[in-house]
Amino acid sequence: MSHRIAAKISGVAGYVPPKVLTNADLEKMVATNDEWIRTRTGICERHIADSATATSHLAVEAANLLLAQTKTDPAEIDLIIVASVTPDMMFPATACLVQDRIGAKRAWGFDLSAACSGFAYALTVGAQFVGSGAHKKVLVIGSDKMSSILDYSDRATCILFGDGAGAVLLEPAGENEGILDFEHDVDGSGGQYLYQPGGGSLNPASAETIAKKMHVVHQEGSQVFKYAARRMAEMSAKLLERNGFTKDDLTLLVPHQANLRIIRAAQERLGVDDSKVMVNIDRFANTTAGTIPLGLRDAVEQGRLHKGDLVLIATVGAGYTTGAVLLRWAY
Ligand SMILES: CC(C)(COP(=O)(O)OP(=O)(O)OC[C@H]1O[C@@H](n2cnc3c(N)ncnc32)[C@H](O)[C@@H]1OP(=O)(O)O)[C@@H](O)C(=O)NCCC(=O)NCCS
């Protein structure tokens, strides 16, 4: 059974910090090279925030651009959901910091942790409040400062990620527009392959956790790779089929940007050609919760999305978490 939600995306914006870290820059930091990074990941460069800029600042930039673009008074926002694995602090929630700084006086809000699936999860959750009639305007933000949890001496992880944020506005949808269906799942047995062990209640920050580098991203890349390619394709195929569509009905697949080879493997399983797949990993790398809204933003800016288009979002993240959302673009 499909899960139609009467909610639509009525605007999208994104923000990446100005500083660019190229593959050539990384060559000076770790034993890597531009050719390896490009051919193994598709990444050419990524944006990195300075020390004064946190996840909330990236989120606020994206939110303010979105409010201006959609001519929305911040006081009209009912709810703010921030998806992130790099909150400014353990508490208060980054959503509270954003609420204050954008002047969303009436809004409540919370953070949602689902790693690279964070934005897709937050989109589905936020849409429920609109679809139920409880809220009229929900701000969904994916924002991560991945550079704050990377070990820049570990070549297997530091080359993969960048900093960035994207935001969408959710509003009530008409008959044949907005979120048509969604699918999410969790496979907690995969948690051991991608995680940040230090700083939580299990291993509170200490001189020892720092010395053991427990405060940074740990990953078994090849395990994540295989799981992501398979599950993104399976979820996408399931959603299309359940709603009576084939790959030919699809205007655009907007996948999470973790590795160009994961994206290509997933789209190959689905039988979707390059012209229907949004790729911007070359410029931004993996911004975790930021990749999908940044992909939607770029697709709109490049004239690749129009009212009535069938769009499929697909993602896999640490957890493992998986998400896919099928929508009819509404503007
Ligand atoms: C990390 C990833 C790019 C590694 O690519 P891979 O093709 O699986 O490469 P491997 O891990 O098998 O490593 C191959 C070799 O390259 C080396 N290598 C790893 N990173 C390197 C780098 N930045 N530069 C040069 N060599 C590197 C490895 O040390 C290994 O060398 P060895 O054979 O001498 O041991 C890939 O596994 C991946 O993208 N995984 C998914 C990661 C991801 O998306 N995470 C977020 C999920 S949301």
Side-chain angles (χ1 to χ4, degrees):
M1 200 183 75
S2 78
H3 314 95
R4 164 103 177 95
I5 316 177
K8 66 179 181 187
I9 291 178
S10 55
V12 57
Y15 177 78
V16 290
K19 187 186 166 197
V20 172
L21 185 69
T22 64
N23 292 348
D25 295 329
L26 283 163
E27 284 181 10
K28 295 177 201 134
M29 298 159 70
V30 282
T32 190
N33 60 78
D34 176 55
E35 209 248 329
W36 192 96
I37 300 174
R38 278 176 199 259
T39 55
R40 304 309 289 167
T41 71
I43 299 165
C44 302
E45 58 187 37
R46 69 288 289 141
H47 290 247
I48 301 293
D50 62 25
S51 58
T53 303
T55 291
S56 68
H57 300 108
L58 304 174
V60 165
E61 293 283 351
N64 281 334
L65 287 168
L66 178 69
L67 293 172
Q69 183 206 110
T70 56
K71 300 185 173 50
T72 304
D73 177 346
E76 292 175 67
I77 301 292
D78 298 298
L79 166 64
I80 300 168
I81 307 177
V82 176
S84 187
V85 288
T86 53
D88 286 27
M89 296 170 266
M90 294 295 277
F91 68 88
T94 302
C96 301
L97 307 174
V98 172
Q99 180 267 346
D100 181 47
R101 287 199 217 127
I102 67 171
K105 296 187 180 63
R106 287 179 43 247
W108 66 292
F110 57 89
D111 290 2
L112 188 155
S113 172
C116 296
S117 302
F119 179 80
Y121 275 37
L123 184 65
T124 300
V125 172
Q128 303 295 336
F129 290 93
V130 176
S132 71
H135 292 327
K136 290 227 155 34
K137 289 185 196 287
V138 172
L139 187 54
V140 175
I141 304 172
S143 183
D144 270 302
K145 184 184 179 184
M146 291 306 291
S147 62
S148 67
I149 56 166
L150 290 174
D151 173 4
Y152 280 97
S153 67
D154 175 14
R155 67 180 183 175
T157 51
C158 75
I159 58 128
L160 293 172
F161 297 93
D163 301 337
V168 300
L169 184 64
L170 289 172
E171 293 188 87
E175 259 311 284
N176 190 27
E177 62 175 12
I179 297 177
L180 304 180
D181 201 359
F182 64 89
E183 183 77 17
H184 297 290
D185 75 9
V186 163
D187 176 359
S189 69
Q192 59 187 312
Y193 300 120
L194 180 52
Y195 61 111
Q196 181 195 340
S201 58
L202 183 62
N203 301 296
S206 66
E208 193 190 351
T209 62
I210 301 289
K212 288 183 173 167
K213 294 193 173 178
M214 293 168 81
H215 57 294
V216 295
V217 172
H218 292 246
Q219 171 170 256
E220 273 189 47
S222 62
Q223 291 287 345
V224 180
F225 189 105
K226 283 182 275 183
Y227 188 85
R230 178 170 63 80
R231 292 299 288 140
M232 287 218 297
E234 284 172 359
M235 286 291 219
S236 300
K238 186 173 176 180
L239 267 196
L240 286 174
E241 194 190 333
R242 186 159 81 198
N243 289 275
F245 296 117
T246 73
K247 62 182 172 56
D248 299 327
D249 298 310
L250 200 59
T251 309
L252 198 64
L253 173 67
V254 182
H256 170 53
Q257 312 280 309
N259 184 318
L260 183 60
R261 287 159 52 226
I262 294 178
I263 296 171
R264 295 298 184 225
Q267 74 178 78
E268 220 168 273
R269 281 170 184 250
L270 272 174
V272 174
D273 67 49
D274 293 4
S275 66
K276 288 188 173 187
V277 182
M278 185 63 216
V279 171
N280 60 10
I281 191 171
D282 50 326
R283 290 153 56 214
F284 304 132
N286 182 353
T287 54
T288 301
T291 63
I292 287 172
L294 284 169
L296 291 171
R297 177 203 67 171
D298 285 357
V300 170
E301 285 183 4
Q302 292 165 17
R304 295 177 74 180
L305 275 183
H306 302 98
K307 192 174 168 62
D309 287 349
L310 191 67
V311 183
L312 184 59
I313 286 167
T315 182
V316 165
Y320 294 121
T321 53
T322 308
V325 182
L326 185 65
L327 29 107
R328 273 232 182 265
W329 201 249
Y331 69 98

